[in-house]
Amino acid sequence: MAATTFGVQSTKIIGPTKSTPAPGFGYGSVRSYSDTYTTAAEVATAIIVIGMIPKGAVFLGGTIETDTTLGTSTLAISTLTLTAAGVATVLSAGAYQAAATYTAVDTPVPFGKTAVTGVAVTADTYLGLVVAVATLPTGAKIATTINCAFN
């Protein structure tokens, strides 16, 4: 008979030696944060704030979609710090997705690095699109959705 093993959270919830997982891991309520933005020729290093993952939530993945090809422009999905005045700075460039081109029109593209997917955040975590290469076109609509589990 083959050995039986459990995933990290399954060990805690249904395995032989049960313990309590962090909120959001087992049977957490799925929440989404959706946003849209219309581009205005943003240049490299520009930051577009797209949402927040609340403290304790487990990131499940997200999607990004555009109604116009972004051409050679690349966007990185990064963590940010945000001042009370609404000024964002990059905390960790590409933490949720390395810089990539988005040329498929009206096609949701999933994002989320393995290192951050299925992980509970320890503080409110702001996410942003950071223009890494080339200027964005004018008038392109970008739609993003961030999914997380939270109790």
Side-chain angles (χ1 to χ4, degrees):
M1 175 186 275
T4 301
T5 57
F6 293 84
V8 173
Q9 301 311 317
S10 293
T11 297
K12 295 175 184 177
I13 298 168
I14 59 178
T17 54
K18 295 173 180 52
S19 62
T20 304
F25 278 110
Y27 309 109
S29 300
V30 176
R31 316 282 173 127
S32 65
Y33 190 113
S34 295
D35 207 348
T36 59
Y37 181 80
T38 302
T39 61
E42 289 79 5
V43 298
T45 72
I47 299 170
I48 303 164
V49 179
I50 60 168
M52 182 191 79
I53 303 168
K55 178 181 178 180
V58 178
F59 177 71
L60 301 175
T63 59
I64 182 169
E65 183 175 358
T66 64
D67 70 350
T68 305
T69 179
L70 299 184
T72 59
S73 300
T74 64
L75 297 173
I77 302 174
S78 305
T79 56
L80 311 171
T81 57
L82 198 58
T83 67
V87 177
T89 55
V90 175
L91 183 62
S92 182
Y96 280 70
Q97 189 68 41
T101 57
Y102 294 93
T103 56
V105 174
D106 293 330
T107 304
V109 177
F111 72 83
K113 288 183 174 180
T114 303
V116 295
T117 302
V119 176
V121 297
T122 58
D124 290 347
T125 302
Y126 299 98
L127 298 184
L129 303 175
V130 178
V131 181
V133 174
T135 301
L136 291 174
T138 299
K141 181 179 177 183
I142 301 173
T144 57
T145 302
I146 301 164
N147 299 305
C148 62
F150 192 70
N151 280 342

